[in-house]
Amino acid sequence: MIQLILIWTVGLWFLYRIVMWLKKRRDAIKARGRSWYWAAYLVAFVGVVLDIVYNVVVGTVMFADLPRELTFTARLKRYRRGPLIWRWRLATWFCARLLNPYDPSGDHC
């Protein structure tokens, strides 16, 4: 079970990095033509769907809490607004180490 969660986490993280790379180069992709643009949106759509499933399945196990929001990022934002408990620390670690450095804005969650 732990190995499956780890593989899913790493796989989704790589997909997140690809989506953020596409976001950063949106104008260049758009200039290449419609097929490139729609392919990029398809990758982003797959990423969002996998993020939702990850939030419901893995996020529930990882944080021992049922989701109140649709995406894993929204869950992390909620925990970071909360008190300084173990969920806050884990959410802060995810944001600081895995998500924010790869978002072009630098502030994903």
Side-chain angles (χ1 to χ4, degrees), residues 55-95:
N55 182 42
V56 171
V57 177
V58 179
T60 299
V61 172
M62 187 182 307
F63 288 105
D65 185 29
L66 291 174
R68 296 182 204 161
E69 40 290 294
L70 201 54
T71 65
F72 190 67
T73 299
R75 180 189 287 242
L76 295 176
K77 287 179 181 180
R78 175 170 57 96
Y79 291 143
R80 291 191 70 207
R81 286 191 305 267
L84 296 174
I85 56 174
W86 68 271
R87 287 185 182 118
W88 180 89
R89 288 186 187 117
L90 185 57
T92 299
W93 183 85
F94 262 94
C95 291

Side-chain angles (χ1 to χ4, degrees), residues 8 12 15 45-55:
W8 195 352
L12 189 60
L15 184 58
F45 176 75
V46 168
V48 168
V49 169
L50 290 176
D51 182 35
I52 292 168
V53 175
Y54 183 87
N55 182 42

